[in-house]
Amino acid sequence: MKHIVALHDADTPWSDGLEPSDAELDAIEREMPLILAEVDLLDALISLLDRPASEFDARRIRRACNRVLAARTSLTNQAAASMPGGAA
């Protein structure tokens, strides 16, 4: 009978690749307004799962959608402005 044995150490050593890089953290920070706006929209939609929508709920969802669109527009404009050579 052959035994199957792991070829690596039982304890995996800590690797530097497990932490996000500074560039990844900066990208997350730039996208944080969009992330928060999407969370607000998701919260508004989740609140309607177990009840019918009222006029207040419709306004809340509409405003959350507008915040998401504004955050996406801002993020896109920032990315276009940072492109070298004036390419937009």
Side-chain angles (χ1 to χ4, degrees), residues 14-30:
W14 185 258
S15 172
D16 290 335
L18 296 178
E19 292 290 324
S21 68
D22 289 338
E24 292 170 331
L25 290 174
D26 290 340
I28 292 170
E29 187 67 30
R30 277 191 310 272

Side-chain angles (χ1 to χ4, degrees), residues 59-72:
R59 267 187 287 168
R60 182 178 174 204
I61 290 173
R62 187 170 53 248
R63 288 178 182 161
C65 285
N66 288 339
R67 282 192 297 270
V68 168
L69 291 175
R72 284 183 184 167

Side-chain angles (χ1 to χ4, degrees), residues 35-58:
I35 293 168
L36 294 175
E38 288 177 338
V39 168
D40 288 341
L41 176 59
L42 189 59
D43 285 341
L45 293 172
I46 288 172
S47 70
L48 296 177
L49 289 177
D50 60 347
R51 61 185 170 87
S54 66
E55 182 61 33
F56 174 77
D57 294 324

